[in-house]
Amino acid sequence: MALAFSALLFLTAATITVVLCRQAAVNELGAQQHLGRSMLDALVPAVQHLLVDNDTADLNNHLGVVAADAAIASVRLTGPDGAVVVERVSDQEPADRLTKWLTFGTAAIRSFAADVAPAGRKLGRIEITLSYKPLNTSIGNVLRNSALVTLVLLLLSAAITYALLRRFTAPLHPLTEWAHEFSRGNWMPKVKLIESGSREIRQLNQAFADGSTTMRHYIRSLEETRELLEHSETRLRKLVNGMHEILFELDRDGRISFLNPAWEKLTGFRVEDSLGKPFGDFLMDEDAIRDFGGGVLARLHEKNREISLRTAAGKRLWVSLDADAQKDAAGDCTGIIGTLGDITKSVELNRLLSKYQDELYHLSVTDPLTGLYNRRHFDTQLEVILSDHLPKKRPVCLLLIDLDGFKFINDTYGHPFGDEVLRTIAGLLRQQVRRNDYIARLAGDEFAMVLKNTALDSATRIAQKLHAKINETRIPLPVGHIQLQSSIGVAAAPTHGKNSQDLVSAADVALYHSKQHGRNRIEVLSPDISKAMMSIFSQGFQLRSALEQGNIHPAFQPICNLRTGETIAYEVLARMRLNGSVIHAKDFITVAEELGLTRDVDLHVIRAALAHATQYQALFLNVDLSSFNDRDFVNELGALLKPACDSGRRITIEITERETLPMGDTLHEDIQKLRTFGCKLALDDFGSGYSTYNFLNQFRPDYLKIEGSFVRGMLNNEADRKIVTHIHELAQSFGMETIAESVENEATQTALREIGIGSAQGMLFGAPILAS
């Protein structure tokens, strides 16, 4: 600003100087012209006189004096004919450039002439030429003086301007230093700001001070944030490095860009060697390799997917994959981030468990003697067949086949021969059964054949053909042979029943009628089955009367430790007194199920058992699983068991599954509620009931009770022994205890101890004792 002001001042002064010099030049020029005219006017009379007198000497002298004047450059006198008479030249200095420039050509009028003509007679002509020297000198002096004055004024104005500017810009110096310090990153400069009367300067000072404070605050916040980030980064790095799962990142082409140390620990491949390689190189399954190809990565979204990796040793490593495609703001895939959790042991255990389950399932749904399906599978499969055929108007017929005199065969010729007879009958059924039909062994000598999409008359003909084939069969003996005979009951759905229970009951009644009418015959149930079913309702009346009169009593059978023989608990069983006889539960429980009285029987027996048993006796209380469908039953059972558990009594709820029931959330909550009281849970007849594996998986009981038929047959049948062993191993894998049922001799006890089973019950340890 000062320089601009000085330059402006200089231009102004220069302009004034030029104007003054021009004016001085014009004035000097006018003065000289006036002088030249005056001298010419004075010189003409004198020259005229001297010419008249013809005084040449004085004329020369006089003209010489005139030419000697500094302002005169030359004087010339010419005659009438124009010839030079006298000429005096003193100074011929030309006009310099400045003079020419300042006079703008005015300086060209420098000569003055006049005729000498007295009385009209021309004697000659005199000319005077002015000199440029006085004009050059005068203009130079004016220029020097003006320049000196201009310079002095310029210096003075510059000094004043600088002083003023310095005064007004003094507060800017600290601000400049602040800005300089700010540029170095110093947000706390030790420079004092100068107060100023200028509002703008004050605002600028305040802005710098506020900016410094704000930046210091931001810097402190950034430092704190950086420290937190460093801490978080360190912690995250420790977490990532300490993870048991593999954390990986892939680029958009499916190549590995990051791995944590768990990769090397689990796979054996070094992290440095694996980076940059395609992830698919470490996968073993083709479908997984395809999913990690570069063209499909953008769609990748996996949750708990089982895949297998190839380890450095060439083994298969099973892992659980969680991975998602990462995308930028434009929606383009940038890569994959995911985790791989080692589930090898879990997969191998599940496969082993699945294998055991398949084996156990096969053993549990088939009859080990004949290879046919058993009663458990039959009950489930018959319901499936009916639900598939009846809605499509396709009839289903059921044949129940019972060998006549089989008890006599067993008692007379022994069980091995009886087993051979059963295997023979099974072979005959296989020969006669059609491709889509179904056969099973229901009990000792009772078999079933389900004929799909078959009318009653066709089923009757098939039954007749089968009956004839059985009658033709001879089993050789050491001496002679045995001719087999059978009774067959035939029922049809939906004519005799629309569900499995009704259809089986109908066929059972037909079989009963066949035996009642002389055996070795076929009986087709009449459409009117009401009379045949009256016996069930009669038995139901007796059961209700027994409940009302208190003739249902608990019986206590000991459960003993196989190693020490000590009684560890008592199972509570139901018994009914009728006309002086004691009836076992198996003889009336079916009627209770038919009439919906199982809940009443269970609650009555539990209530009586808690009243009769002493406080220190641990009790296993049987509860039918279907009773849990009744909310009143659940509330009454809880009201009975909670006070007993609170008083310190050890109670185990023994669940009996007699039919397939859905395992809903309500059932799960009810059983968990009983467990919160302190009750334990046992699953009865494991291996022959309904949905036992489903129950086992959902409720994890404390005890598994091995079904007695397997225990009784394990000494003579290797399949039964395998079932008992598998059930015990399965229980151990879930942390459960096993209790063997129906132990009747010391040989069975010894075999159970060899397997590792800890507890058992049966006639060897004591029969059920009826409460007095």
Side-chain angles (χ1 to χ4, degrees):
M1 185 185 295
L3 292 176
F5 182 76
S6 299
L8 179 61
L9 184 62
F10 175 77
L11 290 176
T12 303
T15 302
I16 294 173
T17 301
V18 170
V19 171
L20 291 176
C21 289
R22 172 167 168 69
Q23 188 62 41
V26 171
N27 292 338
E28 182 66 23
L29 181 59
Q32 287 189 3
Q33 289 178 345
H34 179 71
L35 176 61
R37 290 191 185 95
S38 300
M39 291 185 68
L40 182 61
D41 291 342
L43 183 59
V44 168
V47 171
Q48 180 178 338
H49 176 70
L50 291 176
L51 286 176
V52 172
D53 293 339
N54 198 22
D55 188 353
T56 305
D58 288 339
L59 180 60
N60 286 332
N61 290 335
H62 188 71
L63 292 178
V65 172
V66 173
D69 192 305
I72 303 302
S74 66
V75 179
R76 175 188 295 174
L77 178 62
T78 61
D81 53 0
V84 176
V85 177
V86 178
E87 184 177 12
R88 294 285 186 267
V89 178
S90 62
D91 189 355
Q92 293 294 329
E93 180 176 336
D96 56 24
R97 293 180 180 179
L98 184 59
T99 299
K100 292 179 180 179
W101 180 65
L102 290 177
T103 56
F104 301 105
T106 307
I109 307 175
R110 305 294 293 168
S111 298
F112 303 94
D115 291 333
V116 181
R121 184 173 59 90
K122 184 177 179 180
L123 299 180
R125 183 177 178 85
I126 189 168
E127 295 178 4
I128 296 177
T129 301
L130 298 179
S131 174
Y132 278 102
K133 183 176 182 179
L135 184 58
N136 289 342
T137 302
S138 176
I139 289 175
N141 291 336
V142 171
L143 180 61
R144 283 191 295 272
N145 294 335
S146 297
L148 181 60
V149 172
T150 300
L151 179 61
V152 171
L153 291 176
L154 181 61
L155 293 176
L156 182 60
S157 63
I160 294 172
T161 301
Y162 177 77
L164 292 175
L165 289 176
R166 184 173 180 80
R167 177 181 177 185
F168 285 112
T169 60
L172 297 177
H173 292 296
L175 293 177
T176 303
E177 295 184 17
W178 274 48
H180 186 64
E181 292 295 325
F182 285 174
S183 66
R184 295 181 176 180
N186 179 17
W187 296 100
M188 298 178 63
K190 297 180 180 179
V191 179
K192 185 177 180 181
L193 297 176
I194 300 175
E195 293 294 333
S196 173
S198 172
R199 182 170 61 87
E200 290 78 4
I201 296 297
R202 289 198 304 271
Q203 292 177 348
L204 193 59
N205 287 344
Q206 187 63 41
F208 268 79
D210 293 344
S212 176
T213 303
T214 302
M215 289 305 300
R216 289 199 299 271
H217 172 71
Y218 285 161
I219 289 172
R220 284 197 298 270
S221 299
L222 288 174
E223 290 178 349
E224 293 173 358
T225 303
R226 181 178 56 79
E227 292 176 357
L228 289 174
L229 287 175
E230 289 178 352
H231 176 71
S232 299
E233 182 182 359
T234 302
R235 184 180 180 186
L236 180 59
R237 186 179 295 109
K238 290 181 179 179
L239 289 174
V240 169
N241 291 340
M243 285 175 62
H244 296 294
E245 297 83 6
I246 297 172
L247 179 63
F248 71 95
E249 184 176 1
L250 310 181
D251 61 18
R252 66 180 65 192
D253 297 323
R255 297 183 177 274
I256 301 174
S257 58
F258 173 80
L259 293 168
N260 67 339
W263 170 266
E264 185 170 343
K265 181 178 179 181
L266 294 178
T267 66
F269 291 106
R270 296 178 69 244
V271 172
E272 295 80 3
D273 297 338
S274 304
L275 294 178
K277 293 183 177 180
F279 185 66
D281 290 354
F282 301 93
L283 299 175
M284 300 192 70
D285 301 323
E286 290 297 328
D287 57 339
I289 294 174
R290 287 194 302 270
D291 291 342
F292 279 91
V296 296
L297 283 182
R299 300 190 299 270
L300 186 69
H301 174 72
E302 300 291 350
K303 187 70 175 178
N304 296 329
R305 176 181 176 183
E306 289 186 5
I307 63 172
S308 56
L309 298 177
R310 175 177 56 85
T311 67
K315 296 182 179 179
R316 184 182 292 268
L317 175 70
W318 285 100
V319 292
S320 176
L321 169 67
D322 290 336
D324 284 292
Q326 305 298 306
K327 298 184 179 180
D328 56 19
D332 297 328
C333 178
T334 59
I336 300 294
I337 294 179
T339 58
L340 300 168
D342 183 10
I343 56 171
T344 302
K345 292 183 178 179
S346 175
V347 170
E348 291 176 351
L349 180 60
N350 287 338
R351 290 189 172 186
L352 181 62
L353 180 60
S354 178
K355 178 183 177 182
Y356 282 157
Q357 286 179 340
D358 291 343
E359 292 179 359
L360 287 174
Y361 177 76
H362 178 73
L363 293 174
S364 66
V365 301
T366 58
D367 173 49
L369 177 63
T370 64
L372 302 179
Y373 288 114
N374 60 16
R375 181 60 184 263
R376 175 179 182 273
H377 190 269
F378 168 78
D379 290 337
T380 304
Q381 193 64 24
L382 179 58
E383 191 67 49
V384 172
I385 293 172
L386 291 176
S387 63
D388 178 60
H389 282 65
L390 295 187
K392 301 175 183 177
K393 307 299 182 181
R394 297 176 181 175
V396 176
C397 287
L398 172 64
L399 277 59
L400 292 183
I401 304 101
D402 189 88
L403 287 179
D404 295 334
F406 182 72
K407 184 176 185 302
F408 171 79
I409 295 174
N410 261 342
D411 294 343
T412 303
Y413 301 105
H415 288 286
F417 186 79
D419 292 345
E420 180 61 28
V421 170
L422 295 176
R423 284 192 288 266
T424 300
I425 294 296
L428 290 175
L429 291 175
R430 290 193 184 94
Q431 293 174 9
Q432 298 300 316
V433 73
R434 297 176 302 180
R435 183 170 58 90
N436 292 326
D437 292 337
Y438 175 90
I439 53 177
R441 181 190 178 194
L442 303 185
D445 61 342
E446 185 176 355
F447 297 85
M449 178 182 288
V450 181
L451 305 176
K452 302 177 183 178
N453 198 22
T454 303
L456 188 58
D457 56 347
S458 298
T460 303
R461 287 194 295 271
I462 293 174
Q464 292 171 346
K465 182 179 180 181
L466 176 63
H467 183 264
K469 197 70 176 176
I470 293 174
N471 285 348
E472 295 172 359
T473 301
R474 306 288 188 269
I475 306 295
L477 293 171
V479 178
H481 62 270
I482 288 181
Q483 179 180 350
L484 300 182
Q485 295 181 344
S486 64
S487 298
I488 301 177
V490 182
T495 303
H496 302 132
K498 296 182 179 180
N499 57 54
S500 62
Q501 185 175 349
D502 292 344
L503 185 60
V504 171
S505 298
D508 217 2
V509 170
L511 180 62
Y512 175 76
H513 285 180
S514 174
K515 289 183 176 292
Q516 288 294 100
H517 291 104
R519 300 178 184 273
N520 193 29
R521 55 180 286 132
I522 299 170
E523 187 74 31
V524 179
L525 189 66
S526 169
D528 184 9
I529 62 172
S530 59
K531 291 183 179 179
M533 301 299 291
M534 284 301 294
S535 60
I536 294 179
F537 292 102
S538 175
Q539 296 177 48
F541 175 78
Q542 294 175 350
L543 179 59
R544 285 193 180 93
S545 297
L547 283 170
E548 292 173 358
Q549 298 172 12
N551 287 329
I552 304 294
H553 303 282
F556 300 89
Q557 184 176 26
I559 300 174
C560 298
N561 186 303
L562 281 176
R563 291 183 296 276
T564 64
E566 177 187 1
T567 299
I568 61 175
Y570 289 88
E571 180 181 359
V572 178
L573 305 170
R575 297 290 185 265
M576 182 171 66
R577 289 183 182 275
L578 182 64
N579 300 325
S581 300
V582 177
I583 301 175
H584 290 194
K586 66 182 178 63
D587 296 323
F588 63 82
I589 196 64
T590 302
V591 177
E593 292 173 351
E594 291 286 346
L595 302 179
L597 295 175
T598 53
R599 64 174 304 281
D600 298 319
V601 173
D602 288 345
L603 289 173
H604 179 84
V605 172
I606 290 172
R607 188 179 294 108
L610 293 175
H612 283 84
T614 58
Q615 182 68 30
Y616 64 86
Q617 289 177 332
L619 300 179
F620 276 62
L621 304 176
N622 283 284
V623 177
D624 193 280
L625 191 61
S626 63
S627 299
F628 282 92
N629 291 329
D630 188 342
R631 303 310 301 165
D632 293 335
F633 169 81
V634 175
N635 295 332
E636 291 183 47
L637 181 62
L640 284 175
L641 297 184
K642 189 176 188 306
C645 292
D646 291 342
S647 65
R649 188 184 291 274
R650 292 173 294 160
I651 292 178
T652 299
I653 302 298
E654 188 169 322
I655 297 295
T656 303
E657 297 181 276
R658 296 189 181 94
E659 57 179 316
T660 304
L661 293 174
M663 302 293 179
D665 294 337
T666 303
L667 177 61
H668 193 276
E669 293 173 1
D670 292 338
I671 292 181
Q672 289 301 114
K673 181 178 180 181
L674 295 177
R675 280 180 152 173
T676 59
F677 296 161
C679 297
K680 292 187 176 181
L681 187 65
L683 184 58
D684 194 18
D685 295 336
F686 185 80
S688 65
Y690 295 78
S691 306
T692 49
Y693 288 101
N694 189 20
F695 188 95
L696 179 67
N697 184 51
Q698 289 198 40
F699 296 97
R700 303 297 176 95
D702 303 281
Y703 302 97
L704 284 186
K705 301 189 75 175
I706 304 174
E707 207 275 329
S709 63
F710 301 138
V711 177
R712 288 193 300 269
M714 63 182 293
L715 296 179
N716 299 319
N717 191 301
E718 184 61 27
D720 287 340
R721 184 183 182 91
K722 284 184 178 180
I723 290 177
V724 173
T725 302
H726 284 323
I727 292 175
H728 177 63
E729 292 175 351
L730 179 64
Q732 281 188 318
S733 68
F734 282 94
M736 306 171 189
E737 298 183 30
T738 48
I739 300 175
E741 296 182 309
S742 301
V743 180
E744 299 175 353
N745 51 64
E746 293 184 355
T748 303
Q749 178 185 10
T750 301
L752 292 171
R753 278 202 302 259
E754 290 175 355
I755 293 174
I757 297 174
S759 304
Q761 66 184 99
M763 299 302 293
L764 178 64
F765 305 104
I769 301 174
L770 192 66
S772 58

